[in-house]
Amino acid sequence: MTTTIKATALLTVACCFSIANVPSVWAGEKQMVPPKASAEEAQIKHWRMPEIEKRFLDIPELDSPYIDTSPVDLNDGIAVGQFSHAGEEEALEEEAIIKLAKEVAAGDYGKYDSLLIAKGGTLLFESYYNRGRVNLSHPQSSATKSYTSLALGRAIQMGFLSMDDLDKPVISFLNDIDSTKLVEGADSITLHHALTMTTGIDIPKEGWDAISADLDRVKGQGEIQAVLEDSAPITKEKQVFKYGTGPRLIMQVIEAVVPGSAEAFIRSELFGKLGITNYDWRLAPSGLPESGWKVSVTARDMLKVGLLVDNNGKWQEEQIVPKAYLDRATSRQILTGDDDIYGGGELVSNQGYGYFFWSTDLGLDGSKYHAFSAQGGGGVYILLVKDFDLVVVVTAHEREDVTQQLVAERILPMFSKL
């Protein structure tokens, strides 16, 4: 049983699932492709950024949600299959995912734009809501950090760095740094510290504002020179988790060690390898790619990233990122506590941080399963649960989302039976 939006066979079935005012359609034998943005709309990047908020609003909301339990093969490198096949139990699980999708469409969990689910490397469920479109790149916010981490992993795979280098000082890779002007302890910041955001860098907000405003000072490695000059001394006691302090250091190292530029390297050796071309990755004032935000990617291309990680760094039989690096990147290098888990709830616990990936435990029937995710403000997720060989992609514009709780409460139970 496949459900999708189909212009030739409109049949409202929301009442079947006790969800009011959400149109849905049973699909016939002919499948429709997912909803597309117009050629003009598809060029809009970062459509949630304040400076183009009006253009974002000009993208019309979908007349009806697109809900498909048998996704279409778009020849984009993503294998597709059916959410379920024959049998009563499987049919019940298919009804469960459709019911969830209709609740999402009704706005029960915030302003979702897409929800995609893959198991075993195969896309089994695809849905779009509101302003979601299959060909419209979606702002990633802080999920950008995870892409930066993967770019470093790609540099390791290609031999420009080694796993041992993760424990070496960041400044040892930056030849344009004048170490005589740096604060005490600056040479103690390793790649590992930067990736886990335990650098110990201590600059007040006004200091960061001053650095950002001095465009001449922050060009190239001048960015790191400025940060490590203006920080308070780096001490072991200060090298604790502090969100936001590491990504720019990692991008500078990528720029320093790869041939050409980090921008070209990402384009050809990371996103290019995955066939990701419909994206935007803005440049920072340093002239390097932004490392912590300002990337836009489509939902299907986000899924490619998730499938790469789920397959231990392999894409179409080529090792893109070392498995050893991903094992460290997606594990809890540090615990960050359960006081404020983004997208959390009663079934989400043990929040930790790896190499620009978040980690949690998701509860199901008294057991806990390790999940890790790229996360972005506004409700962006690439979430993986390796025990279920599961990848869940969400794009949204909802600050107060409950996505991780939703995965634990509603999605994991479906796959525990399949």
Side-chain angles (χ1 to χ4, degrees):
M1 178 178 65
T2 301
T3 300
T4 185
I5 299 306
K6 187 174 178 62
T8 59
L10 296 179
L11 175 63
T12 302
V13 296
C15 58
C16 296
F17 301 105
S18 300
I19 300 169
N21 300 320
V22 182
S24 180
V25 188
W26 299 112
E29 293 182 359
K30 181 181 178 182
Q31 277 193 313
M32 301 291 287
V33 297
K36 284 189 172 186
S38 68
E40 181 181 5
E41 292 166 348
Q43 298 306 309
I44 297 176
K45 311 294 182 183
H46 300 274
W47 39 272
R48 287 181 56 252
M49 299 295 289
E51 64 268 24
I52 54 174
E53 185 68 15
K54 183 178 184 300
R55 294 188 71 189
F56 161 55
L57 295 175
D58 285 342
I59 299 173
E61 292 193 358
L62 294 172
D63 292 334
S64 301
Y66 177 94
I67 301 169
D68 196 347
T69 59
S70 182
V72 180
D73 186 352
L74 299 181
N75 296 314
D76 56 1
I78 296 175
V80 298
Q82 293 183 334
F83 188 86
S84 62
H85 299 283
E88 181 179 350
E89 183 174 292
E90 289 82 357
L92 290 173
E93 297 308 326
E94 186 169 33
E95 288 183 4
I97 190 62
I98 294 170
K99 183 178 187 295
L100 173 61
K102 289 178 178 293
E103 292 171 4
V104 169
D108 291 1
Y109 309 109
K111 299 177 181 178
Y112 276 57
D113 293 307
S114 69
L115 169 62
L116 284 67
I117 302 174
K119 180 176 174 60
T122 300
L123 176 61
L124 301 179
F125 178 79
E126 183 173 22
S127 58
Y128 296 92
Y129 318 87
N130 294 316
R131 296 180 174 90
R133 305 290 193 276
V134 70
N135 62 333
L136 184 63
S137 64
H138 195 288
Q140 299 295 288
S141 301
S142 286
T144 298
K145 297 176 176 64
S146 301
Y147 305 144
T148 298
S149 176
L150 294 176
L152 186 78
R154 179 60 178 157
I156 293 173
Q157 178 64 36
M158 296 184 72
F160 301 122
L161 291 166
S162 70
M163 291 293 292
D164 289 341
D165 287 335
L166 296 173
D167 296 316
K168 293 181 181 178
V170 167
I171 62 172
S172 68
F173 302 97
L174 306 179
N175 295 330
D176 295 337
I177 295 293
D178 183 352
S179 59
T180 65
K181 296 181 179 180
L182 305 184
V183 298
E184 183 179 352
D187 59 352
S188 70
I189 303 172
T190 65
L191 290 177
H192 175 85
H193 287 126
L195 287 162
T196 55
M197 293 204 264
T198 56
T199 63
I201 292 170
D202 184 8
I203 300 175
K205 182 181 183 302
E206 57 270 22
W208 284 113
D209 291 343
I211 291 172
S212 299
D214 194 343
L215 298 182
D216 290 334
R217 188 185 183 200
V218 300
K219 287 298 180 184
Q221 292 181 20
E223 175 187 46
I224 306 307
Q225 185 79 43
V227 169
L228 296 182
E229 284 183 11
D230 293 4
S231 173
I234 310 297
T235 65
K236 185 175 181 180
E237 290 72 26
K238 287 184 177 180
Q239 287 183 315
V240 295
F241 181 75
K242 187 176 182 180
Y243 192 72
T245 59
R248 68 185 71 204
L249 302 178
I250 296 302
M251 189 60 74
Q252 286 280 356
V253 171
I254 295 170
E255 174 84 7
V257 302
V258 303
S261 67
E263 182 182 14
F265 181 77
I266 290 167
R267 183 173 60 250
S268 63
E269 293 298 336
L270 181 60
F271 279 4
K273 291 291 185 180
L274 301 179
I276 298 175
T277 58
N278 183 14
Y279 75 94
D280 189 44
W281 195 314
R282 294 189 176 186
L283 299 183
S286 65
L288 277 63
E290 287 281 6
S291 53
W293 65 326
K294 294 190 177 181
V295 168
S296 288
V297 180
T298 70
R300 275 207 174 204
D301 285 340
M302 292 168 65
L303 181 65
K304 289 182 181 181
V305 173
L307 294 175
L308 170 72
V309 177
D310 188 49
N311 198 32
N312 297 318
K314 277 190 175 182
W315 182 258
Q316 297 180 348
E317 304 306 317
E318 181 179 1
Q319 194 74 41
I320 306 299
V321 178
K323 180 181 182 300
Y325 179 82
L326 287 177
D327 287 344
R328 292 178 66 168
T330 60
S331 64
R332 290 185 189 87
Q333 298 295 326
I334 55 174
L335 286 170
T336 59
D338 288 354
D339 291 340
D340 186 20
I341 298 180
Y342 189 57
E346 62 180 4
L347 296 178
V348 188
S349 61
N350 294 331
Q351 180 174 256
Y353 204 70
Y355 287 172
F356 299 159
F357 283 87
W358 291 93
S359 293
T360 53
D361 287 341
L362 303 185
L364 175 64
D365 296 334
S367 297
K368 292 186 176 182
Y369 300 92
H370 177 237
F372 55 90
S373 54
Q375 297 180 10
V380 174
Y381 288 88
I382 307 172
L383 186 146
L384 294 89
V385 187
K386 292 285 276 186
D387 286 326
F388 290 79
D389 202 6
L390 188 68
V391 182
V392 178
V393 165
V394 170
T395 61
H397 46 288
E398 177 59 63
R399 297 294 299 183
E400 304 297 330
D401 71 87
V402 292
T403 293
Q404 293 200 73
Q405 173 68 20
L406 204 61
V407 171
E409 183 178 335
R410 300 292 295 279
I411 295 178
L412 288 190
M414 301 178 198
F415 287 92
S416 68
K417 300 174 183 177
L418 293 180

